[in-house]
Amino acid sequence: MIVPHFINGTELTSHSDSAPSTGPVFNPATGAEIRRVAFADSKTLEHALDVAEAALPGWRATGMAKRAQVMFNLREIIVSRSAELAAVISEEHGKVLSDALGEITRGLENVEFCAGVVHHMKGEHLEQAASGIDVHQTRQPVGVVACITPFNFPAMVPLWMISTAIAAGNTVILKPSEKDPSAANWIAKAFKEAGLPDGVLNVVHGDKQAVDHILSSTRIKAVSFVGSTPVASAIYSTASAHGKRVQALGGAKNHMVVMPDADIDAAADAAVSAGYGSAGERCMAISVVVAVGAIADELVEKITERTKNLTVGRYDDPAAEMGPVITKESLDRIATFVAEAPQHGAEVIVDGREWDFSHLPGEGYFIGPSVIDHVRPGMPCYDEEIFGPVLCIVRVDSYDEAVEMINANKFANGTAIFTRDGRTAREFEFAIEVGMVGINVPIPVPIGAFSFGGWKNSLFGDTHMYGPESFNFYTRRKVVTSRWPLPDESQINLGFPTN
């Protein structure tokens, strides 16, 4: 079976005469190839662009109430069939079904936000800016936009991007990860069922060749991306050099500070939940626990106890709390970080490589959660984004040392502090140089009415994703100054206009 593209409301494997190039799609829980995905060549990509350009005038002219109705309809479709979409996600990604359902819920927050498009697209008006002169500003779509989405959230991140882009009146080329492509097609079909005209949302699958075509095409006016920092940086540089708007979200190394006055049990629960959910394959996962002062031993003991009691298994096992990682390459890379930690001076307290998965059928990409203690900056397990179920414990003597370390890190996506002291929490919020901050909240992903984005090497571009900032990204502002003179009022005046 080949996962096809979805262009102009129909499925096709290629717009060329030749057979399409394809790539494998694996079930991470078994290691088995379960289907192939079509890779778009230049003719297929240009066909998708032709379709998107042709659909743009009609969609841009569509009334806001109609656009809002599409979002309302889409929400009802996804809610009523969320179990079906979750199964699609879990089969190709490996995350457990409860996690997939949570992903869908967070994606729906943006669909619900976009249902308020009548409010979000409002402009401004100023009467009598000067004598007899009025000024108003409108929001207009930027045109054809591209959304390049990651493997770790095959439904949520597309819904973050495409819902806003479409609500704002753009047409979209969606290029999902080739590792788990089927959720994107499912969403595109749901949009069609919700009343979205054909050609407004087009899904093209592919690898780097397809991305390069998107980045260089003069027909695409804006690019949204989520992925690793090296790729985000490259996409930002290339796309902006071709005159596009770009928002490219990169990697993360999220720290969770635990103060001596914190509820240690609650902090340990939070660290384990935020560190190992979705096998740590989240850009907002906690990967570094910063233990301040004398509570370190107790905190590590509680984290270790909870980690060892986790159930790792297949997504279709109701008892499983964590599934496999996405690929064999990811598995090997994560295992290398754990294996090499001791030679850099760290101590592996829980070794995920030692977990036994022999009872599971197939050759799935399973690794247990790991805890590495006595980690310091300069160690690979600290400096690099592992993107797997590994919790690093850093011990510091003071709050100031914790803040200094976090602010020195090249990543600045999310962070959290656990404390009972309001003043400490306020100081942390004020001083920390990170885009998203949690106070006794380990994964501070903003609700849909706010926007998502980090700082430093976690974001390239100046616009965060979904929510209010996303409508700024997907629209251009146009300012109109108007005057209606009386008969015979006009006269030549070479001076600069003033009041």
Side-chain angles (χ1 to χ4, degrees):
M1 173 187 173
I2 295 179
V3 180
H5 313 294
F6 190 83
I7 300 173
N8 205 24
T10 60
E11 295 180 334
L12 76 161
T13 56
S14 175
H15 193 64
S16 306
D17 295 331
S18 57
S21 173
T22 63
V25 180
F26 295 96
N27 181 338
T30 63
E33 181 179 314
I34 52 176
R35 55 187 63 96
R36 309 284 294 182
V37 58
F39 284 177
D41 57 15
S42 59
K43 287 186 177 180
T44 303
L45 285 161
E46 287 299 312
H47 170 58
L49 288 168
D50 288 341
V51 167
E53 285 188 332
L56 181 62
W59 181 243
R60 179 193 166 186
T62 299
M64 298 296 168
K66 170 62 176 176
R67 297 186 206 174
Q69 189 59 55
V70 169
M71 297 299 160
F72 280 116
N73 293 346
L74 177 68
R75 180 193 180 279
E76 293 308 305
I77 291 168
I78 295 178
V79 168
S80 65
R81 293 161 52 193
S82 58
E84 176 186 330
L85 178 55
V88 172
I89 295 168
S90 292
E91 183 188 31
E92 292 183 351
H93 177 276
K95 65 178 64 177
V96 297
L97 286 169
S98 60
D99 196 26
L101 287 167
E103 168 184 348
I104 294 166
T105 299
R106 294 311 302 264
L108 280 172
E109 285 185 10
N110 193 53
V111 176
E112 294 163 355
F113 184 79
C114 290
V117 61
V118 175
H119 171 72
H120 304 315
M121 290 292 286
K122 288 190 303 185
E124 297 176 309
H125 185 95
L126 176 63
E127 183 181 67
Q128 205 69 1
S131 299
I133 295 179
D134 300 331
V135 181
H136 70 270
Q137 176 179 277
T138 64
R139 290 178 178 266
Q140 296 185 346
V142 298
V144 179
V145 304
C147 301
I148 305 170
T149 57
F151 76 84
N152 59 326
F153 288 106
M156 182 182 76
V157 174
L159 288 172
W160 281 2
M161 296 180 185
I162 63 178
S163 299
T164 314
I166 289 169
N170 303 280
T171 54
V172 177
I173 304 294
L174 170 61
K175 208 301 285 185
S177 171
E178 65 275 20
K179 294 182 177 68
D180 45 8
S182 297
N185 283 29
W186 194 102
I187 290 170
K189 293 175 184 177
F191 259 108
K192 179 180 173 72
E193 186 179 338
L196 188 70
D198 292 342
V200 176
L201 173 59
N202 306 281
V203 181
V204 293
H205 301 288
D207 53 10
K208 184 178 184 298
Q209 180 181 353
V211 172
D212 289 344
H213 191 105
I214 288 170
L215 299 182
S216 62
S217 174
T218 58
R219 304 164 75 181
I220 293 174
K221 305 305 179 185
V223 173
S224 296
F225 171 82
V226 173
S228 69
T229 285
V231 179
S233 177
I235 282 181
Y236 178 77
S237 299
T238 303
S240 58
H242 284 86
K244 306 183 196 310
R245 289 187 175 189
V246 189
Q247 53 176 191
L249 277 63
K253 199 71 178 182
N254 304 318
H255 297 68
M256 184 181 116
V257 178
V258 183
M259 296 297 294
D261 68 335
D263 182 326
I264 303 302
D265 284 304
D269 289 342
V272 169
S273 300
Y276 304 133
S278 196
E281 293 175 324
R282 294 171 176 165
C283 66
M284 287 294 283
I286 290 298
S287 52
V288 181
V289 175
V290 184
V292 180
I295 52 93
D297 287 341
E298 182 184 3
L299 178 62
V300 171
E301 180 182 349
K302 290 180 179 295
I303 288 175
T304 299
E305 176 187 358
R306 286 158 170 77
T307 298
K308 289 180 176 179
N309 287 328
L310 290 176
T311 301
V312 182
R314 291 166 52 106
Y315 62 88
D316 52 2
D317 177 0
E321 298 166 281
M322 188 188 101
V325 295
I326 186 70
T327 63
K328 179 64 164 58
E329 292 76 15
S330 295
L331 174 64
D332 292 342
R333 179 177 51 80
I334 295 163
T336 298
F337 276 109
V338 177
E340 295 180 352
Q343 71 189 52
H344 297 287
E347 180 182 0
V348 178
I349 303 298
V350 182
D351 193 333
R353 299 170 301 158
E354 298 177 351
W355 289 57
D356 182 13
F357 300 107
S358 60
H359 62 287
L360 297 177
E363 299 292 333
Y365 313 132
F366 287 96
I367 185 169
S370 297
V371 179
I372 306 177
D373 197 5
H374 300 289
V375 173
R376 299 296 300 172
M379 298 179 181
C381 63
Y382 177 86
D383 292 344
E384 302 301 322
E385 183 183 29
I386 298 176
F387 218 64
V390 180
L391 268 179
C392 294
I393 312 293
V394 177
R395 298 172 181 237
V396 299
D397 294 328
S398 67
Y399 164 85
D400 290 338
E401 186 180 349
V403 170
E404 181 180 357
M405 181 177 64
I406 295 170
N407 285 348
N409 197 276
K410 63 183 177 180
F411 297 114
N413 210 42
T415 190
I417 187 169
F418 276 68
T419 179
R420 289 187 174 98
D421 183 66
R423 181 173 179 83
T424 299
R426 186 183 185 282
E427 288 180 357
F428 186 80
E429 174 186 343
F430 181 81
I432 210 70
E433 296 173 6
V434 177
M436 292 170 282
V437 180
I439 308 298
N440 298 313
V441 174
I443 306 180
V445 176
I447 62 171
F450 291 84
S451 296
F452 178 103
W455 292 4
K456 302 181 194 175
N457 283 4
S458 296
L459 173 69
F460 297 86
D462 59 359
T463 306
H464 290 184
M465 196 160 287
Y466 71 73
E469 287 195 47
S470 195
F471 272 96
N472 290 336
F473 180 77
Y474 288 118
T475 59
R476 297 180 293 183
R477 263 68 71 202
K478 179 181 288 183
V479 180
V480 179
T481 304
S482 59
R483 181 174 183 270
W484 299 95
L486 297 170
D488 301 324
E489 183 182 342
S490 296
Q491 58 182 331
I492 294 174
N493 184 348
L494 303 187
F496 196 84
T498 65
N499 289 338

